[in-house]
Amino acid sequence: MNVLVCVKRVPVTGGRIVLTDDAQEIDTRFLGFTVSPHEECAAEEAVRLVEAHGGSSAVLTLGPPEAEEQLRDAMAIGIDRGIHLRTAGEEWDGRATATAIVDVVRTQEADAPFDLVLFGNESADTGGYQVGIRVAYGLGRPVVTGVKQLDVDGGRAVARREAGGGWEVFDVPLPAVLTVKEGINLPRYPSMPGRLKAKKKLLDVIEPAPAQNDVRKQRLRLPGGMDKHVEVLGQGTDGVPAAVEVLRRLGVVG
């Protein structure tokens, strides 16, 4: 079984987002990067499938040179090789990203087709829910989204996703595209021996054609609640009258 998992370099969840002065980019000087929890589970699922059925696995990302870090992290847990669609760091929308992935999948499959192409259900930054479905359409393959359980046997995949108080069950032929959700498994952490092995694994670097985006970015804007501040009302008992006055303005006390 040959499995490809696609991941995206995103800011660390819970990190404080600061914009550049022109509001065009995220200021990354003090911000760490990772992949989304869904994609961590997708990488883990790829490793488990190959462990159970034999074959090989690959991890792909589209992003700047620094995104190699996320590919090496995936290879450190057992993914066999990496594919880096290296960009200059510019924004790619869902259509442009999917087109680039479809092109490279077709090229890579000249040697050995991928039985499964796995995605996280959505990325942790933009949450577009688009790329996996667009890739499936471009490749002409069945797709199941929101997968929380997966069994593969006899050239077919049985994928389950939660629906209300029960499960929706999909039985699809391979090759197929699946987007998985956090909770399908418990991802392992990269070990030190795994990281050392990952440095020696094959990493193909491909420069895709520049993005032809359907959406033009005007500016970025932080969501409400990001600019919280603290006001010191006083020290010890000296702050009590001011605190009472704030409670009165809020209508908590009379």
Side-chain angles (χ1 to χ4, degrees), residues 31-147:
L31 192 63
F33 285 86
T34 183
V35 298
S36 75
H38 302 307
E39 292 170 347
E40 289 179 338
C41 291
E44 174 67 28
E45 196 67 16
V47 173
R48 295 188 184 195
L49 286 168
V50 172
E51 288 175 344
H53 301 280
S56 64
S57 57
V59 58
L60 177 150
T61 195
L62 183 148
E66 294 80 7
E68 180 180 336
E69 175 187 2
Q70 281 64 53
L71 294 175
R72 296 293 181 188
D73 284 347
M75 289 189 278
I77 69 167
I79 299 290
D80 297 313
R81 63 188 180 94
I83 305 168
H84 190 174
L85 304 185
R86 184 175 292 175
T87 71
E90 69 276 14
E91 189 72 19
W92 287 55
D93 66 17
R95 184 186 67 85
T97 300
T99 298
I101 293 174
V102 168
D103 289 343
V104 77
V105 167
R106 287 174 174 159
T107 301
Q108 294 280 322
E109 289 189 326
D111 297 325
F114 293 112
D115 298 290
L116 282 173
V117 180
L118 301 181
F119 292 83
N121 199 55
E122 78 273 2
S123 61
D125 54 355
T126 58
Y129 298 84
Q130 293 189 41
V131 177
I133 297 172
R134 287 179 178 272
V135 168
Y137 180 81
L139 295 173
R141 297 178 185 177
V143 60
V144 184
T145 61
V147 176

Side-chain angles (χ1 to χ4, degrees), residues 15 19 25 27-28 30 53 72 78 83 85 88 126 157 176 184 189-191 197 210 230 241 245 247:
L19 302 183
E25 304 292 343
D27 190 336
T28 60
F30 309 107
H53 301 280
R72 296 293 181 188
I83 305 168
L85 304 185
T126 58
I184 190 174
Y189 288 101
S191 64
K197 290 179 181 178
V230 175
E245 180 58 30
L247 294 175

Side-chain angles (χ1 to χ4, degrees), residues 202-230:
L202 176 65
L203 177 63
D204 291 330
V205 177
I206 301 169
E207 294 186 0
Q212 300 297 318
N213 290 329
D214 289 330
V215 179
R216 303 297 181 208
K217 178 175 65 178
Q218 292 184 339
R219 56 163 296 180
L220 299 178
R221 180 180 299 169
L222 294 175
M226 294 293 292
D227 297 325
K228 297 178 181 177
H229 67 278
V230 175

